[in-house]
Amino acid sequence: GDTNSGGMAAGMTTLKAVTKLKRAITPYYLQYNPKFETSSAKELREELRAHPQVVGAIDRLWTSITGYGKFLMYTGFIEKDPYVLLSIQIQKAVMEPDVFDEDVARRTAEDEWITDSVDINGVRRVDHSAFHKALFELADIWTPEISAATYSAFLWKLTQRITTLRVVVYEG
C-alpha cells in the first residue's frame, strides 16, 4: 500500500515537473491562459486600447515607419506590398528562428492584409486607426500579463527590432 501511494506521489511530482518544463519551453503564443478570458480581464484589456502608454508605443512604430518612408511613402496609409513586408518582419521578430517560415509568414501576411485593410476611396489600405487596432491585438496576444507597461514594453521592443539596422561583422 505504501509503495503504491509513494509511487503515485512521485508520479504526480513528475507530472507537475514535466508540465512546468513544457510551459517553459512552449512559446508564449502557443500557451493559453483562461484568466485572460474572464469578463474583468476582457474589460481591462479593452481599457488598455486607449491607454496613453500603449497608444504612445503604437504611435512610435507608426512614426518610425512613416519617418523612413519605407512603408508609407508619406501618404498616411500603408499600401498592400509594404504592409505584407512589414507583417513578415513583425512575424520574424516575434517568432523563434526555428519556427519562422518565410512562405507561411507571407501567406499569413496576405490574410492579415484582408483583415486589417479598409476601403479608402475605392482603394484598400491600412490607415492609422486600422494599424492601431492590428498592433494592439498583436500586443494583446503576445504579452503574458494585462498591463499598460507590459504591452508598451512589447511594442517598444518590436519597434526596435524591425526598425534598427544591425550590422554583423565576420572576422576570419
Side-chain angles (χ1 to χ4, degrees):
D2 290 335
T3 306
N4 190 19
S5 64
M8 178 78 86
M12 291 303 289
T13 301
T14 302
L15 178 61
K16 287 179 184 177
V18 168
T19 301
K20 280 185 178 180
L21 177 61
K22 186 176 179 185
R23 283 191 68 81
I25 61 175
T26 301
Y28 182 74
Y29 70 94
L30 294 177
Q31 298 177 23
Y32 171 73
N33 187 343
K35 290 187 229 176
F36 275 42
E37 299 305 319
T38 65
S39 58
S40 60
K42 287 180 180 179
E43 187 176 308
L44 179 57
R45 288 166 50 208
E46 192 55 38
E47 288 173 11
L48 289 178
R49 190 177 298 274
H51 191 283
Q53 205 173 355
V54 175
V55 170
I58 293 171
D59 286 348
R60 165 78 182 219
L61 180 53
W62 176 262
T63 301
S64 293
I65 61 176
T66 61
Y68 292 115
K70 180 176 182 180
F71 298 105
L72 289 147
M73 304 305 171
Y74 307 107
T75 63
F77 304 103
I78 305 176
E79 306 294 337
K80 182 179 180 179
D81 290 343
Y83 190 77
V84 167
L85 175 61
L86 175 63
S87 176
I88 291 169
Q89 288 179 333
I90 288 172
Q91 292 175 66
K92 191 171 188 177
V94 298
M95 297 186 84
E96 296 293 327
D98 60 328
V99 174
F100 178 78
D101 178 292
E102 182 97 23
D103 293 329
V104 172
R106 183 164 300 282
R107 285 192 302 274
T108 301
E110 296 278 345
D111 291 344
E112 288 175 347
W113 169 257
I114 293 166
T115 303
D116 298 343
S117 62
V118 293
D119 186 302
I120 301 169
N121 298 326
V123 179
R124 293 208 65 82
R125 299 176 173 158
V126 172
D127 63 5
H128 183 266
S129 176
F131 183 81
H132 182 277
K133 181 179 181 224
L135 266 287
F136 178 82
E137 289 172 2
L138 185 73
D140 193 45
I141 290 168
W142 279 87
T143 53
E145 62 184 41
I146 303 170
S147 78
T150 302
Y151 281 40
S152 64
F154 168 81
L155 291 162
W156 281 94
K157 181 73 168 180
L158 179 65
T159 299
Q160 182 182 24
R161 283 189 170 178
I162 65 172
T163 62
T164 303
L165 178 64
R166 291 184 189 91
V167 176
V168 179
V169 178
Y170 293 99
E171 294 184 24

